[in-house]
Amino acid sequence: MAQRDYYEILGVERTIDAAGLKAAYRKLAMQHHPDRNGGCEESATRFKEVSEAYAVLSDDQKRAAYDRFGHDGVNDGGGQGPFGRGGAGFADVNDIFEQVFGDAFGDVFGGRGRTSGGPRRGSDLRYDLEIALEDAYRGTDVEISFPTTATCDTCEGSGARPGTQPVTCSTCQGAGRVRQANGFFQVERTCPHCGGAGKRVAEACGTCRGQGQVRRSRTLSLKVPAGVDDGSRIRLTGEGDVGLRGGPRGDLYVFISVTPHELFERDNLDLLVTVPVPMTVAALGGAIDAPCLVSEACDGRCKAPVQVPAGAQTGKTIRIKGKGMPHLNGKARGDLVVELFVETPSDLTPRQKELMQELAQSFGEDQNPRNSSFAGKAKRFWADILGGDGDGPGPSSRESAA
């Protein structure tokens, strides 16, 4: 079944700003929340739909990917959306609700939903990795180091000083949440004294200061596959921040940035390179060498032979099959596109100038077809402007009137 457009789901234009987007979501989320509709399955489906749309469009990077590629730009393989298998970002629709409405409405209106004191998934992390075009061409192995949270070894995550144990919170009696009436709603909110854990640390661990987690640097080996492009994303499942109260770790997202190359420019799978050609070779034809990136298929050679046809002009392109970038998820490979730049000699000796003048005088119009064509077009242009034959000014308007 085709997925509906996220902007259509929220009833907004594609140019909507963040404030308008949030207002539209608040309205629809309140309207379709299951606990305001007696647990109606249709309302629950609609509530999840608007929450999924808001989860994507409220994130600048996800919104940009969605605007460019549609659902394929934000689905994480196999058609899974933000709340599907392995999806990044919010764990479920109630997290979205909490972000927008605040903790007072964080769970659900009648007390349904998850228990705040239970396990909580760790946060996702982002790492920006810059690599050379050669590494993107061949693939590479790198080590990355980044700050992350880890379970405190001293207290094993409890937050309590060794030899002591957390005690049950007297405010929520271990539930992690307290209930209160708030006008039309019966509202549950996170216990303000234990932070939703259901227990309080009487004597805090000196290492983590009662948090159960510490901040430390982590180093991982990362395999960058051949064919990655600028903006490619690699997801490392379970390598993000550690979860709370035994929850799973978040994920680490590595965003690839490819450094511009001094010779090559990438166009999808093709590599473009401009090669200077001596005027004599361009006129007579001949062979030149074009640089190419080295792979195992090149047998260590970083040059590709190019046959220049006689009479080649600046801007002519010659395509060499299979010398471009490899496809990220397949065996296909792009081409090397060589653009010729005919180089005019400079600093000529008197004898060389004499020879060039003799050569110029020997040329006929058929040997300079582009120049002849341009001269004809220019003559017609001047004739139209001047009203004459193109060789000189035509009669003025006053003379014509006379």
Side-chain angles (χ1 to χ4, degrees), residues 146-395:
F146 55 97
T148 182
T149 59
T151 300
C152 177
D153 295 329
T154 303
C155 65
E156 298 181 346
S158 70
R161 183 174 62 83
T164 66
Q165 294 292 331
V167 297
T168 301
C169 175
S170 58
T171 302
C172 64
Q173 304 300 317
R177 303 188 74 81
V178 292
R179 182 175 297 187
Q180 65 184 50
N182 191 345
F184 176 77
F185 302 109
Q186 182 76 14
V187 177
E188 278 192 355
R189 62 180 301 173
T190 301
C191 176
H193 292 93
C194 65
K199 294 184 178 182
R200 298 180 62 187
V201 175
E203 298 182 55
C205 169
T207 303
C208 65
R209 302 181 184 277
Q211 298 300 311
Q213 297 179 345
V214 292
R215 199 78 174 164
R216 62 179 56 157
S217 179
R218 192 171 181 208
T219 301
L220 292 177
S221 295
L222 173 67
K223 184 176 183 63
V224 179
V228 294
D229 202 352
D230 199 63
S232 295
R233 185 187 73 172
I234 300 175
R235 178 185 178 195
L236 301 178
T237 304
E239 301 294 353
D241 279 345
V242 70
L244 291 173
R245 297 181 287 277
R249 298 187 75 107
D251 299 333
L252 173 65
Y253 290 87
V254 180
F255 285 79
I256 305 295
S257 175
V258 181
T259 306
H261 199 277
E262 61 180 355
L263 286 179
F264 301 99
E265 181 179 345
R266 181 172 180 173
D267 181 18
N268 198 5
L269 293 183
D270 291 338
L271 287 175
L272 314 180
V273 61
T274 300
V275 179
V277 181
M279 184 181 68
T280 52
V281 175
L284 302 176
I288 62 171
D289 287 328
C292 65
L293 295 178
V294 180
S295 68
E296 295 179 358
C298 296
D299 298 325
R301 296 190 298 270
C302 57
K303 296 180 180 179
V306 177
Q307 189 64 38
V308 179
Q313 305 292 324
T314 292
K316 179 176 176 58
T317 57
I318 299 174
R319 185 176 290 268
I320 304 176
K321 296 290 186 181
K323 293 292 187 179
M325 296 294 296
H327 193 282
L328 181 59
N329 297 314
K331 297 181 178 180
R333 186 177 287 271
D335 301 332
L336 177 65
V337 180
V338 180
E339 181 180 19
L340 304 182
F341 179 84
V342 180
E343 194 170 28
T344 303
S346 59
D347 299 326
L348 298 178
T349 65
R351 176 55 180 159
Q352 289 171 332
K353 291 180 181 179
E354 182 181 344
L355 292 173
M356 290 294 289
Q357 289 171 352
E358 291 179 10
L359 182 63
Q361 292 171 1
S362 69
F363 287 147
E365 288 189 0
D366 58 335
Q367 292 174 303
N368 294 286
R370 184 171 296 184
N371 182 61
S372 300
S373 174
F374 172 79
K377 293 177 182 177
K379 187 174 182 179
R380 289 192 296 271
F381 170 75
W382 289 324
D384 292 340
I385 295 297
L386 301 175
D389 59 4
D391 293 328

Side-chain angles (χ1 to χ4, degrees), residues 2-49:
Q3 291 179 278
R4 290 181 61 197
D5 179 74
Y6 285 148
Y7 292 98
E8 178 186 339
I9 290 172
L10 295 176
V12 297
E13 298 292 333
R14 302 184 79 86
T15 55
I16 191 76
D17 60 13
L21 193 70
K22 185 173 184 179
Y25 170 71
R26 288 175 64 96
K27 179 181 178 181
L28 291 172
M30 292 290 288
Q31 177 183 347
H32 297 289
H33 198 289
D35 286 337
R36 294 195 68 186
N37 295 275
C40 173
E41 290 187 8
E42 183 178 349
S43 295
T45 300
R46 178 70 172 143
F47 178 68
K48 181 176 180 179
E49 190 178 42

